[in-house]
Structures are given as structure tokens and as C-alpha cells.
Amino acid sequence: MTDAPGSAQPKFQYLRIADQLRAAITEGRHRAGERLPGEDALAKEYGVGAVTIQRAVELLKNDGFLAGRRGSGVYVQDLQLLRRHGTPRPTGDQWAAGPRIWPANETQTTTIDQVAVADVPPPPRVAEVLGLGAEETARVLDSRFLVDGRPVKLVRTYLPSKLCAGSAVARADSAPGDLRSMLAELGLSPKHIREEVRGRAPSSSDASRLGIPIGRFVLDTYRVAFAGDGQALGVEQTTMDSTSYVAEYAYDL
């Protein structure tokens, strides 16, 4: 006899507990900034073992609902999604302004606390897209963005070094800007944008800079700007904490 749909098998019991804890948080029974009860108290409340509670708590840490503080315990996070609009497409205002599946903050201001500029060999796929040879480098502007002091995304913009020579973009004190504004500084106006998005496990550097726990994925977005003749002008890689962002794409049919 098989389990009824939706019932939790013993080895997946931690998923049921995680669902119940998540519901307790979203319903306000555990509020943002509040310390979660200890493992023993939760195990008694839910009638399961400590290991099941540990697994459920780790799952909710990866989901962004909880965060551990060394020597203090586990606390409920204020999970505020940020909305990232994808490649602009013509859309009727009535549809663009309509209700969304995931509520997200579109007005929060980001700040930047890390900026690095260098000419380096780009990742192989980026070099291939930009048509760079083995000895050619890319000008890379690497920035970290925060909301309310919390790291939420890393942005790396790659432009062929030969395009940047003698320009403001080539200076080490270049101000952070998006791909289109940097190309505009070079007198270039892209005619087409292509964007690719995928989830992946973070590198150790990404995890450290974003302050995310082991097991949480990131969203990687590569935006490529093309000239009218199809030549790739630049690549912008945005690595986002997967619990902080929802990506939106809208278009008319």
C-alpha cells in the first residue's frame, strides 16, 4: 500500500516539519528578528527527534527564512524579495501593473561596498562570446550590492580591453554602472540584448561575499549586448542570492 498523496514518509519527515515551521513564520507566529526556540523545545513541540529538527532548520536557512548567529542561536529572517526585471519587452501597462505570484519590493535602494577594476583573462565562455583570442584580456568591473547592509548580488561586467583603452571605463576609479551605460561611455549603442538565467551552486568566493550558507543556490544571469551587425560588445554577469530575488519577464502575445 502506498502513502496517500501529500503524506510524509519517515525519511522525508523533516520536509513536513520544515513546511510547518515555514507556515508558522509566514503566519507571524515566529516574527522577523525573533530567536527560534531551541532544538529540544521544537522536537518536543513537533513530536520528532532532534536530527529531524536540525534538517528542517537547515532547509529553512537555505530558503532564507532562518539565519544562524554564532553563539546566539537561530533567528527568523525578514525575507523581502527584490524584483529584477529582465530584458525589456513591449507590454501593455494594464498587464505589467497586474498582480504577481510573488510579492516583491521594487523600490528598495541598493548600495555598493566593493568595487574592483582590472584587465584579466575572462572566463572561457565569456571570451568565446566576445570573440577574444587566447592572449586578449577583458576589462572587468566587479561590484557587490547590498540592501539594508545585507549582500544580495554580485555584478561583473566584461568589456574587451581594446575597446576601453583611453576611456573613463579604463580607469581604476571607474564608477559602477550597468552594461548599457558603460557602453554609452565608449560611444557604443547596442541594438540587441540577450539574457540567460540559471541556478547553480555558488563558488566559495561567491558564498563568502554574499554571506550565504552551504546548500543555498545562486541565480546566475548573463546579459550580452550586441551591435547591429551581431558583434558581441560586452557581457554582464549578475550573481544573486536565490532567496533575495524574483526575476520577471513580461511580453505581449
Side-chain angles (χ1 to χ4, degrees), residues 194-253:
R194 184 183 70 221
E195 185 168 285
E196 301 175 12
V197 184
R198 64 160 294 188
R200 66 169 173 84
S203 67
S204 58
S205 173
D206 291 340
S208 175
R209 293 178 67 193
L210 290 171
I212 58 179
I214 295 172
R216 181 181 299 175
F217 269 45
V218 294
L219 292 177
D220 235 5
T221 297
Y222 280 89
R223 182 171 286 181
V224 185
F226 295 90
D229 62 0
Q231 173 64 43
L233 300 173
V235 175
E236 183 178 86
Q237 177 191 7
T238 302
T239 301
M240 296 166 279
D241 177 353
S242 61
T243 66
S244 295
Y245 278 90
V246 55
E248 178 183 308
Y249 300 86
Y251 51 92
D252 286 334
L253 298 177

Side-chain angles (χ1 to χ4, degrees), residues 157-171:
T157 303
Y158 300 89
L159 300 170
S161 295
K162 58 190 176 186
L163 279 182
C164 303
S167 71
V169 174
R171 295 201 311 264

Side-chain angles (χ1 to χ4, degrees), residues 4 22 47 76 96 142 173 176 240:
R22 189 185 290 109
V76 179
D142 187 330
D173 62 348
M240 296 166 279

Side-chain angles (χ1 to χ4, degrees), residues 84-85 126 129-130 141 145 153-159 176-183 193-196 220-225 233-239:
R84 181 182 188 278
H85 293 276
V126 173
V129 168
L130 293 177
L141 178 61
F145 289 74
K153 69 177 178 180
L154 310 172
V155 179
R156 304 175 184 95
T157 303
Y158 300 89
L159 300 170
D178 62 18
L179 178 58
R180 291 183 67 181
S181 65
M182 293 177 70
L183 288 171
I193 298 287
R194 184 183 70 221
E195 185 168 285
E196 301 175 12
D220 235 5
T221 297
Y222 280 89
R223 182 171 286 181
V224 185
L233 300 173
V235 175
E236 183 178 86
Q237 177 191 7
T238 302
T239 301

